[in-house]
Amino acid sequence: MAKDGTRGAAVTGYGLVAAPGRNSEAAFTNLQAGVVRTAAMEGFFPPSFSAPVFVAELHQQYDLLPTNLLENQPYEVNRTVRLALQAVDEALARTGLSLAQLNRRRVGVALGTTVGCTFHNEAYYIDWKNGRETDSLAFNTYLNANLAERIQELLGLSGPRAVITNACASGADAVGLAKSWLDVDLCDIVICGGADELSRVACHGFRSLMLVSQDRCRPFDKNRQGLNLGEGAGILVLEKEHSVHASGREVYGRVLGYGIAGDAHHPTAPHPEGRGLKQATALALTDAGATIADIAMINAHGTGTPANDRAETNAMKSMGFDSDMQPMVSTKGATGHTLGAAGGVEAVLTLLTLNCGEITGTPGCSRVDPDFHFSPLAEGEKMALTGRIGISQSLAFGGSNAVLVMEGCGR
Amino acid sequence: MTVPVTNCFRSTLDNLTVPGELARQLRRADDFVHLGVTAGHGVLAGCMEKGGFSAKKTGMYLGSAFGPMQTNFEVLDQVVTQQPVSPILFSLSVFNTAAGYIASILGIRGCSVTLTDFSFPFFRALQQGMAAIESGMLDRCLVLQVETYSDVLIDGTSRYGGGAEPWPAGVVCWLLERTALSGKPLFLLEDLEIESGGTEGKDRLSLQETVSLGGKQETTPGYLGAAAMLSRLLVKEGRLGVNPCRVESLYGTVCMNIRSFEGV
């Protein structure tokens, strides 16, 4: 709850780029229609192993940002920053604010990423390893690749900033942190969410942990074999509700609550009963002033790994959620696991679902695992929502769990 | 609101002494995790023994400029040389793995947030930690900065950084408490503000941070410099009272008030 006693942060803009679409409208339409677009990326996985990946369509035809934004920079702008900019542009265009207006306000930037903050330039590394001259541009590009700093600098914004690197929960944690900044009046507006690009390191790494499905991923399915990796960005613009109303601009929804908690269990596996997830969910509901009965849908982390999907369904069942009243889905069968972007991408998709009033079943899940105590919605199924409040949840390496409680505006 | 700091830990990697009781749990860990866990244990062990430790109301904010960069390159090496990637090495290369180890080993079940920024990572983590204490989200909060750098970064710094000296790997960790649960505070923090300045990437390689406290100034090189120096000034030399503290660098300014316990 904010210092002034109000609950939640108004969503005045949202943007998304991921495999289902180059903007939020295209992505959501394809998600509802069951369109799944995977690609086979040569060399991305170890030799003799191949798996689908989900590639986002990058463009630079911005709606609000200057088209020449990335020209004449003294460094290259990496793919993660470009993905973020594409979603930021869409989100800001919806706010009805100009860049000049934004530059006069305290605008925070809170973004999650994983790959986006690593120095994974293979050519540079190979040259260095072999004692050859290295490319100073690559080095400088890395030193200018902090996601929040770059977005702040490119847009000329001044306000708090944070890059959250909480692995796969980074995007959700960034949204939660952004809400807390508004609660304590650290800024007026926050651009938040997550962005991440595909990388060979992540593909080989997840494969080494035997978490990658060689075929299309099937979250919650009886025969699920693991996750598929993806890339993208999901961005929300959050503002204090009263300042939006004063300006007469549109509110698309609200982030009502946020909870974060740890499993204190294992470096890479979730607690089997979802211990931290339950605590994070309880905290988020309390922050939102909501109860389980208020929740109309759950957008699960739903990676398609046996352990993740079991932990999430166990946690929801033991907390008292009812799959007939609170349908649970995963969207990763359409987006892939976009790592640090996932929490942002899924927050946008949760908001669009709440505003649509109907939820679409989990892409890739043809038969829900009968061993689950809580039954998610399968592919091809649809259900009308009974309310406007939903949950988006993220689990991460390190046992970190983040939960957002969101409210739609019913359009 | 005033936030008490009740314990501090700082060490370079070269001087790090890992407590024997952690050795088994850290047998597969890299330097980044060793530094983080040892520091967390160093500030929390005392209050855990005293009891009254609420796992759900204890959390952490870990800041880093470069994360586990050496381990990242070890994984990249396996990828580019087409060796099988070690699952342990890959899991250690994830930026929040140290936070996960700290939480798991010390039984912390509140928030664990890793923040990555080339500018003032410790103070950005500190800002969030203070807010978490002020809002009541946490009763206890570890605030850490861990840096291990890498051979690739050291080489790049010597090539492009204008002859900057290599920085020593190390850790700084402060324990914040909602009220001084563990006893008398070392010092109290108020009104932390961070102003970011625009910096072109390579400028950071010759970085210097100047700490002004109690009418004196000291300049330090390296990414852990200001946090480590401040810890030393506040704890070892007892420069307390009611002091505005200012940390200045090419990439911005940090301002906060630091008070002695007696000064309240």
Side-chain angles (χ1 to χ4, degrees):
Chain A
M1 188 185 292
K3 275 180 176 174
D4 61 7
T6 59
R7 282 190 190 278
V11 179
T12 58
Y14 56 86
L16 187 156
V17 54
R22 59 192 286 178
N23 57 40
S24 55
E25 186 180 357
F28 189 62
T29 300
N30 283 328
L31 181 69
Q32 286 181 303
V35 175
V36 174
R37 297 166 166 165
T38 60
M41 298 283 275
E42 187 83 17
F44 255 61
F45 284 99
S48 77
F49 184 88
S50 64
V53 290
F54 288 78
V55 183
E57 184 188 345
L58 199 53
H59 67 77
Q60 282 176 39
Q61 294 158 344
Y62 300 129
D63 291 326
L64 182 76
L65 305 180
T67 305
N68 63 353
L69 183 70
L70 301 181
E71 292 175 8
N72 302 318
Q73 298 288 343
Y75 48 83
E76 289 179 355
V77 177
N78 74 18
R79 186 170 175 84
T80 297
V81 175
R82 289 172 186 269
L83 288 165
L85 277 171
Q86 189 165 318
V88 166
D89 177 65
E90 184 194 348
L92 289 178
R94 285 184 201 283
T95 64
L97 293 168
S98 66
L99 269 183
Q101 287 173 308
L102 284 167
N103 293 342
R104 289 194 291 270
R105 310 280 293 277
R106 297 177 301 162
V107 182
V109 180
L111 296 171
T113 190
T114 61
V115 174
C117 63
T118 61
F119 190 11
H120 57 271
N121 186 307
E122 294 183 24
Y124 185 98
Y125 177 76
I126 291 167
D127 285 341
W128 172 80
K129 186 179 178 183
N130 292 318
R132 296 195 291 258
E133 187 64 30
T134 50
D135 178 6
S136 67
L137 180 62
F139 195 72
N140 204 27
T141 295
Y142 164 67
L143 290 173
N144 284 287
N146 183 275
L147 186 56
E149 182 183 29
R150 268 305 54 78
I151 298 294
Q152 205 174 41
E153 185 247 340
L154 287 166
L155 273 57
L157 305 174
S158 59
R161 73 160 188 254
V163 167
I164 297 183
T165 44
N166 265 15
C168 308
S170 301
D173 284 321
V175 174
L177 189 72
K179 175 185 173 293
S180 76
W181 286 354
L182 294 174
D183 285 348
V184 299
D185 196 32
L186 207 57
C187 52
D188 308 311
I189 300 172
V190 196
I191 297 167
C192 59
D196 243 332
E197 65 189 84
L198 278 164
S199 94
R200 294 215 312 149
V201 170
C203 287
H204 283 239
F206 275 94
R207 162 67 183 142
S208 77
L209 290 162
M210 295 190 287
L211 293 176
V212 176
S213 171
Q214 202 150 358
D215 303 313
R216 178 188 164 194
C217 68
R218 303 174 189 180
F220 301 124
D221 190 275
K222 180 177 182 293
N223 296 314
R224 67 194 183 281
Q225 299 293 320
L227 56 81
N228 296 152
L229 288 157
E231 64 176 3
I235 298 292
L236 298 176
V237 179
L238 303 186
E239 299 185 53
K240 295 169 189 173
E241 184 104 25
H242 58 81
S243 68
V244 185
H245 286 162
S247 67
R249 289 180 293 111
E250 191 164 5
V251 172
Y252 300 99
R254 291 170 193 84
V255 177
L256 294 177
Y258 165 61
I260 174 173
D263 285 340
H265 170 67
H266 189 274
T268 57
H271 187 277
E273 298 302 318
R275 180 167 70 182
L277 176 60
K278 287 190 282 189
Q279 186 185 330
T281 305
L283 289 168
L285 288 171
T286 301
D287 189 35
T291 66
I292 288 173
D294 296 321
I295 301 303
M297 63 161 286
I298 302 164
N299 191 350
H301 191 55
T303 57
T305 65
N308 175 88
D309 295 2
R310 192 180 312 114
E312 280 193 284
T313 51
N314 281 345
M316 294 302 101
K317 177 65 179 176
S318 74
M319 285 194 77
F321 285 95
D322 178 345
S323 56
D324 290 332
M325 297 302 294
Q326 289 105 15
M328 181 160 86
V329 298
S330 165
T331 53
K332 288 191 173 69
T335 63
H337 190 347
T338 58
L339 304 178
V345 166
E346 287 155 25
V348 173
L349 292 174
T350 300
L351 181 72
L352 293 173
T353 302
L354 289 166
N355 283 338
C356 167
E358 182 181 72
I359 189 166
T360 302
T362 303
C365 176
S366 55
R367 187 185 168 203
V368 172
D369 190 333
D371 290 341
F372 289 159
H373 301 300
F374 187 94
S375 187
L377 213 57
E379 189 169 44
E381 296 180 314
K382 290 182 185 289
M383 190 185 287
L385 300 181
T386 57
R388 291 180 179 179
I389 301 177
I391 279 176
S392 184
Q393 55 199 34
S394 299
L395 284 69
F397 279 11
S400 198
N401 302 270
V403 174
L404 299 170
V405 176
M406 304 187 67
E407 182 180 39
C409 286
R411 60 177 56 76
Chain B
M1 185 179 167
T2 302
V3 177
V5 178
T6 57
N7 211 346
C8 283
F9 181 99
R10 67 187 170 91
S11 178
T12 60
L13 181 62
D14 289 344
N15 294 326
L16 189 74
T17 303
V18 180
E21 65 263 36
L22 299 178
R24 185 177 167 278
Q25 290 155 300
L26 294 178
R27 66 192 186 282
R28 292 172 166 174
D30 63 1
D31 289 340
F32 198 85
V33 171
H34 273 98
L35 285 163
V37 172
T38 304
H41 182 270
V43 300
L44 262 189
C47 57
M48 291 169 81
E49 287 160 10
K50 285 177 189 170
F53 175 82
S54 167
K56 290 183 179 180
K57 294 285 276 182
T58 303
M60 85 186 83
Y61 290 85
L62 189 156
S64 183
F66 299 101
M69 197 184 205
Q70 182 69 29
T71 307
N72 270 277
F73 280 116
E74 287 170 20
V75 176
L76 186 62
D77 187 77
Q78 293 178 333
V79 171
V80 300
T81 57
Q82 298 197 354
Q83 299 171 61
V85 165
S86 155
I88 293 170
L89 213 52
F90 174 67
S91 68
L92 291 167
S93 77
V94 178
F95 273 48
N96 73 331
T97 294
Y101 265 84
I102 296 167
S104 177
I105 291 172
L106 301 179
I108 293 171
R109 291 183 53 202
C111 70
S112 296
V113 178
T114 300
L115 301 161
T116 303
D117 203 299
F118 293 121
S119 309
F120 303 128
F122 180 78
F123 297 101
R124 291 183 195 280
L126 184 61
Q127 188 175 43
Q128 301 309 324
M130 288 173 69
I133 294 285
E134 286 178 0
S135 68
M137 186 169 103
L138 297 176
D139 288 341
R140 283 197 174 93
C141 184
L142 300 177
V143 174
L144 303 99
Q145 184 183 349
V146 185
E147 302 294 350
T148 48
Y149 313 112
S150 72
D151 297 337
V152 177
L153 182 70
I154 291 165
D155 174 74
T157 304
S158 71
R159 287 176 194 245
Y160 311 121
E165 292 291 318
W167 314 299
V171 63
V172 174
C173 180
W174 290 5
L175 177 63
L176 315 185
E177 296 192 317
R178 187 167 165 76
T179 53
L181 300 167
S182 305
K184 183 179 165 183
L186 296 172
F187 50 90
L188 306 160
L189 300 174
E190 291 174 340
D191 303 328
L192 173 61
E193 290 184 4
I194 299 171
E195 187 181 317
S196 299
T199 311
E200 209 274 315
K202 285 179 189 171
D203 290 345
R204 295 201 178 91
L205 298 175
S206 55
L207 75 89
Q208 290 194 318
E209 292 180 347
T210 300
V211 178
S212 305
L213 179 69
K216 296 187 178 179
Q217 279 193 352
E218 288 192 40
T219 298
T220 175
Y223 278 85
L224 269 165
M229 177 187 289
L230 204 50
S231 302
R232 176 175 57 79
L233 292 174
L234 290 166
V235 178
K236 298 291 183 189
E237 299 182 11
R239 286 191 195 176
L240 300 177
V242 182
N243 289 308
C245 174
R246 192 174 172 87
V247 182
E248 291 176 283
S249 184
L250 278 174
Y251 42 73
T253 307
V254 177
C255 295
M256 61 184 158
N257 286 326
I258 299 179
R259 293 163 164 252
S260 67
F261 182 58
E262 290 78 8
V264 177

